Amino acid sequence: MAENIEDPNLQTTDNQPENPIENAENKPKASTFFYIMLVLSMVNAGLNFFTNVIWGIFSPTIGEMFEDGTLPVPEELTEMIRTQLRIPYYYYFILEVFWALSFYGALSMWGLRKTGFHSYALAQLLLLLLPLVFLGKAYVQIGDIMFALLFIGYYAWVIFLRNKETSNE
């Protein structure tokens, strides 16, 4: 007869839950609004990332076409295009890195990870400072500052303060 030998690696201890779904109930949860905000942050970061990829790759070509006159541009946009073309192309690649970090941070916050918040906040603050460094004070937008601080503040409240409040109840 074969003996009933148990593998010690397959044994469970009393400290481990038998059903991992039961353990999920104890995790902190966020509101639906929080997840909607995260989706908006990820969409914003993704679109800005791809916009900067395209502009970074094609800005030399666009500049040549603009100077040759082969790029049809309305009269009211010519000054804006000239300003855009004075920006070094590597500026857009730096923006890409920060937008990718912002996307990663928002994605990490989906699981209410604090490192995701720190990545997102750092990326957003650097994205606010970068135009100041490269373009000057005239190109810093107050709306960008307000939205970035609003999102960072809301995410900080949910991840750090709200979850602490709900765990005490």
Side-chain angles (χ1 to χ4, degrees):
M1 284 190 157
E3 292 182 30
N4 189 3
I5 300 174
E6 292 184 24
D7 186 1
N9 295 331
L10 297 177
Q11 291 179 347
T12 60
T13 63
D14 293 335
N15 296 339
Q16 295 176 339
E18 292 180 20
N19 187 354
I21 295 174
E22 291 174 7
N23 195 22
E25 293 175 3
N26 297 332
K27 285 188 174 183
K29 295 177 182 147
S31 67
T32 304
F33 182 70
F34 175 76
Y35 292 109
I36 291 171
M37 296 282 281
L38 283 178
V39 168
L40 290 174
S41 292
M42 286 187 274
V43 167
N44 180 43
L47 289 175
N48 277 296
F49 176 83
F50 287 115
T51 300
N52 285 297
V53 167
I54 291 169
W55 190 257
I57 291 171
F58 292 112
S59 64
T61 307
I62 292 171
E64 290 173 11
M65 291 174 63
F66 181 73
E67 296 301 325
D68 294 347
T70 56
L71 180 68
V73 177
E75 194 70 33
E76 55 273 359
L77 296 179
T78 55
E79 189 57 38
M80 183 187 75
I81 297 288
R82 281 194 181 103
T83 302
Q84 288 288 115
L85 293 174
R86 283 192 293 255
I87 300 169
Y89 71 92
Y90 57 86
Y91 169 78
Y92 300 104
F93 294 112
I94 296 170
L95 284 174
E96 289 172 34
V97 170
F98 294 147
W99 282 116
L101 183 62
S102 179
F103 183 85
Y104 167 77
L107 190 62
S108 296
M109 279 191 288
W110 195 273
L112 298 176
R113 291 188 203 104
K114 292 177 183 177
T115 56
F117 168 77
H118 294 301
S119 299
Y120 178 83
L122 176 67
Q124 289 298 310
L125 294 175
L126 290 172
L127 284 165
L128 291 175
L129 290 175
L130 202 60
L132 183 65
V133 171
F134 276 86
L135 306 174
K137 206 167 47 170
Y139 292 95
V140 176
Q141 303 292 323
I142 191 73
D144 292 342
I145 294 170
M146 287 177 13
F147 274 109
L149 293 178
L150 181 71
F151 274 62
I152 289 170
Y154 177 71
Y155 292 148
W157 176 73
V158 169
I159 290 179
F160 293 104
L161 301 175
R162 185 171 179 271
N163 285 328
K164 195 177 279 188
E165 292 170 3
T166 56
S167 65
N168 292 338
E169 293 176 354

